[in-house]
Amino acid sequence: MGNQPTTMDSLAGVKLAKADGSLVEAEKALAGKELIAYYFSGHWCPPCRRFTPMLKTFYQEASALGVEIVFVSSDQSEEAMADYMKESHGDWFAVPYGEKTAEELSKKYDIAGIPSLVVVKLDGTVVTEGGG
């Protein structure tokens, strides 16, 4: 394997999903991005449903500035996750439902509740936790 492109260790070799179900390799999805915001959320969570539209508005401007959002779902089913993405999310990526990467990210960034937003550099260095 040797030299991986400068991408986060957590997402190396992972495919990310879009709301339409298409999959893209994380390396391609994050090419040219400076920051990644992991959005830990779930459709069943009222505070998440209030926060998501604000994040969508932010994303419309921030995506042009080198920020990508990766949704990490706490939904109970793939269907609930897909509905949530189609209903309220911006055009960002998600860790596919049931992918072990989602659990690994929750542990790595010590996620205790949702919604949580963790902003990191491409190499995984944390910039902010809790979206603050």
Side-chain angles (χ1 to χ4, degrees):
M1 282 297 209
N3 286 345
Q4 284 285 330
T6 313
T7 187
M8 300 184 37
D9 50 355
S10 302
L11 295 178
V14 173
K15 288 192 188 301
L16 297 174
K18 283 286 201 172
D20 65 5
S22 62
L23 294 174
V24 180
E25 288 172 24
E27 287 83 358
K28 286 183 182 162
L30 303 174
K33 299 295 181 179
E34 309 237 343
L35 296 174
I36 297 155
Y38 286 115
Y39 181 41
F40 297 87
S41 179
H43 189 256
W44 53 268
C45 157
C48 299
R49 290 201 310 269
R50 284 194 295 276
F51 180 70
T52 302
M54 292 185 268
L55 189 60
K56 183 177 180 178
T57 301
F58 163 79
Y59 180 73
Q60 288 164 347
E61 295 175 20
S63 61
L65 304 173
V67 177
E68 187 55 69
I69 293 173
V70 176
F71 172 49
V72 184
S73 175
S74 292
D75 286 302
Q76 305 300 314
S77 70
E78 192 167 1
E79 211 175 330
M81 176 183 166
D83 288 349
Y84 186 31
M85 289 182 73
K86 288 173 189 158
E87 246 170 58
S88 2
H89 285 219
D91 189 31
W92 53 67
F93 292 94
V95 174
Y97 184 81
E99 182 75 43
K100 69 180 182 345
T101 306
E103 197 176 316
E104 290 165 2
L105 289 167
S106 291
K107 282 184 185 147
K108 180 174 183 171
Y109 296 113
D110 201 21
I111 302 303
I114 56 172
S116 288
L117 192 67
V118 178
V119 180
V120 300
K121 295 179 183 172
L122 282 180
D123 65 2
T125 308
V126 175
V127 178
T128 67
E129 292 180 65

